[in-house]
Amino acid sequence: MYHRAMAEKAWATLAARWLTAATASVSVGAQSDAPANGCDGLLGVRSTAGYLHTWSETIDLRETEEACRSSDHAPFYWQLRAMAENVLGNHRAALVDFDRQRPRWESGEYPDLPRGARSVPALAYIAERAASHRFVMVNERHHVSADRLLTLALFRPLYEQGFRYLAAEALTPRMTGIGVRGYPVRQDGSSYVDDPVFGELLREAVALGFQIVPYEQHEDQGPPMERMNDQQVRDYWQANNLITGTLERDPEAKVLVHCGYSHLHEVVSSRWTPMAHYFTEATGLDPLTVDQVLFAERGTRDAEHPWRADAESRGLVAGQPVVLVDAEGTLLPVAPHRVDVRVLGPRTVYVNDRPAWMQMDGRRRAVAISTPECVEAGCVVEASNVAWEEQGVPYDRIEVVEDAVDMYLPPGVEVELRAYRLDGNPVFQRTVSTAVTAKETLKP
């Protein structure tokens, strides 16, 4: 759940403590007893498990920015802040905040993108490669909801190939009920699950017939051998839990795995022993590993991989994820050579200050919601299905300070809108129908 840079000695122990807590389910109604002032107190013990609302951590992190930005914990703080802003739909802020720890590309000289390079659609390329694998692993950046869209798009083509399991890193080991309800609730996992795109990902998986498999390290799963650091212990148990939840139940299982960052690296580095490595070591199976991080859109273009700028200047990046190949169609080798496929995602297009990828390939459409109550003090507005229990992961969530906002909703459903102040106090609750013309304003 964290970037490799978080392994720096200045705050590695702190990061490990938070990550353990972050995988716990959200305890709605609970209040954290951690000190609210000071960077050490906030980052040392806070987690989403102690918050009344999903965005409560966002508010605390904003309030401690001054203390944290100049502390030894600054890199960790900005990663948490980016994830927390993403919770409120603040995509631009999430990208920028994450890059405050590394505002420029720092890998030294890099060879130019070959002259004959071209791009092919990533979805078709991955689906074709998946035919010769039983495990496909796709990663995400936890502060970017758009990284979940590729996994969502892979469901149907992989289901046609016999894939029947979705293993997701964010789910708590105690997760139950998604398959029965048909939708996730906040208690099913960490704050990553309580995200509109992640919620859609899980709902779609259940609707298609995938079995949902949590594989996160359990609280009682300690070091299996001596001299293992916290990262190794976690990735070791992730791999073992993945095997227990799939191959031990179904020896012929075909599994799509959605994980974070470097957990899908197949090669051990000086600072990381990945889950995918442990998995292959234990099973002998070679997963198809798909990285979205290296070539990703960043908060500043200076922080992006040099091939991204070159590919965009040549018109190789359109409105869908692509894979870079040579003139003959062979995948271009990309250093470091730790995964099978590197995907280059499209740059975000904003419509009325919201990312257009929230359309989720036609699953959603923009509907203008009237929010005059939010002009003076600001609101958090959530949109959920009226049939879901209150803790269901919403269709959309956005921080609002205007008299109207675009929300991305599925057509033809009854939607319950709930608005709160940032402190969690309710502002309004009303039911609307999305059986209206797109962009028609839904008023109180």
Side-chain angles (χ1 to χ4, degrees):
M1 293 185 183
Y2 54 89
H3 191 273
R4 283 174 299 161
M6 291 175 65
E8 295 297 330
K9 291 182 179 179
W11 40 283
T13 301
L14 177 61
R17 290 170 60 193
W18 182 85
L19 287 165
T20 299
T23 59
S25 61
V26 177
S27 179
V28 176
Q31 299 285 352
S32 173
D33 58 4
N37 58 337
C39 193
D40 290 350
L42 176 68
L43 300 187
V45 292
R46 289 275 192 173
S47 81
T48 54
Y51 285 120
L52 179 61
H53 290 285
T54 300
W55 61 88
S56 299
E57 183 186 28
T58 317
I59 309 310
D60 278 353
L61 288 167
R62 289 175 181 175
E63 292 175 350
T64 56
E65 177 179 337
E66 190 63 32
C68 290
R69 68 191 304 173
S70 58
S71 75
D72 290 339
H73 305 312
F76 184 36
Y77 169 81
W78 286 118
Q79 291 198 44
L80 291 185
R81 177 70 178 271
M83 291 186 288
E85 293 296 340
N86 184 62
V87 163
L88 287 177
N90 298 328
H91 179 65
R92 274 199 186 96
L95 290 177
V96 171
D97 285 346
F98 191 89
D99 281 345
R100 293 183 193 276
Q101 60 180 316
R102 196 189 74 178
R104 300 186 64 84
W105 180 261
E106 297 176 351
S107 291
E109 294 297 320
Y110 210 89
D112 293 336
L113 186 64
R115 182 179 297 275
R118 58 190 181 89
S119 63
V120 296
L123 183 61
Y125 182 89
I126 295 167
E128 182 179 358
R129 291 280 302 270
S132 58
H133 294 266
R134 289 176 54 195
F135 280 71
V136 175
M137 298 182 179
V138 182
N139 70 355
E140 70 163 45
R141 297 164 294 162
H142 298 315
H143 65 291
V144 182
S145 298
D147 285 359
R148 293 151 190 168
L149 294 172
L150 179 58
T151 297
L152 179 61
L154 282 168
F155 284 155
R156 291 186 181 275
L158 293 191
Y159 190 88
E160 292 175 359
Q161 295 183 24
F163 284 74
R164 293 296 183 271
Y165 297 87
L166 170 67
E169 175 184 299
L171 298 171
T172 174
R174 295 177 297 278
M175 174 221 62
T176 59
I178 292 180
V180 177
R181 290 188 306 267
Y183 62 90
V185 296
R186 292 167 185 171
Q187 295 90 334
D188 285 328
S190 70
S191 60
Y192 312 147
V193 173
D194 194 14
D195 165 76
V197 182
F198 213 120
E200 184 66 11
L201 183 152
L202 292 172
R203 288 189 292 268
E204 178 80 357
V206 170
L208 287 174
F210 282 87
Q211 295 186 48
I212 310 299
V213 178
Y215 67 92
E216 190 53 76
Q217 176 189 3
H218 301 181
E219 293 178 1
D220 60 350
Q221 291 179 330
M225 59 192 74
E226 295 181 357
R227 297 182 181 178
M228 292 183 75
N229 61 36
D230 289 341
Q231 177 273 309
Q232 291 171 324
V233 172
R234 181 169 177 236
D235 279 60
Y236 173 89
W237 284 115
Q238 282 187 337
N240 277 267
N241 293 339
L242 177 61
I243 294 167
T244 300
T246 58
L247 295 174
E248 290 187 5
R249 294 165 53 187
D250 178 0
E252 302 303 317
K254 303 186 77 172
V255 185
L256 175 57
V257 182
H258 187 84
C259 65
Y261 292 108
S262 302
H263 294 294
L264 55 53
H265 285 182
E266 299 184 59
V267 179
V268 176
S269 70
S270 60
R271 294 194 303 176
W272 197 274
T273 307
M275 176 268 293
H277 168 79
Y278 284 123
F279 173 83
T280 298
E281 192 176 57
T283 65
L285 296 175
D286 177 25
L288 177 66
T289 50
V290 181
D291 172 74
Q292 300 188 83
V293 175
L294 187 67
F295 290 152
E297 174 188 27
R298 304 288 294 267
T300 61
R301 295 188 184 231
D302 285 345
E304 294 174 352
H305 192 285
W307 278 17
R308 182 180 182 92
D310 203 351
E312 287 183 328
S313 69
R314 299 189 200 183
L316 302 182
V317 186
Q320 62 180 325
V322 298
V323 171
L324 299 176
V325 298
D326 62 19
E328 286 72 40
T330 302
L331 189 69
L332 291 178
V334 185
H337 305 287
R338 296 170 182 160
V339 299
D340 294 316
V341 182
R342 303 278 189 182
V343 171
L344 201 163
R347 192 169 296 280
T348 301
V349 174
Y350 294 90
V351 179
N352 291 336
D353 209 34
R354 297 217 61 194
W357 46 253
M358 276 296 294
Q359 296 177 62
M360 300 186 202
D361 196 27
R363 293 175 174 83
R364 299 283 187 274
R365 63 182 182 183
V367 177
I369 304 297
S370 181
T371 55
E373 306 93 333
C374 302
V375 174
E376 291 188 7
C379 300
V380 177
V381 182
E382 294 185 329
S384 298
N385 192 298
V386 295
W388 297 344
E389 58 185 86
E390 186 173 350
Q391 299 306 319
V393 178
Y395 290 130
D396 199 0
R397 180 191 299 112
I398 184 67
E399 184 175 10
V400 184
V401 293
E402 305 291 344
D403 61 0
V405 65
D406 283 355
M407 299 198 77
Y408 283 87
L409 308 174
V413 299
E414 292 292 310
V415 173
E416 186 170 69
L417 298 173
R418 300 190 192 97
Y420 307 86
R421 296 295 178 214
L422 291 180
D423 63 8
N425 288 320
V427 177
F428 67 75
Q429 181 173 333
R430 60 179 182 260
T431 301
V432 299
S433 173
T434 60
V436 296
T437 304
K439 295 302 294 179
E440 178 179 336
T441 301
L442 297 177
K443 299 179 179 180

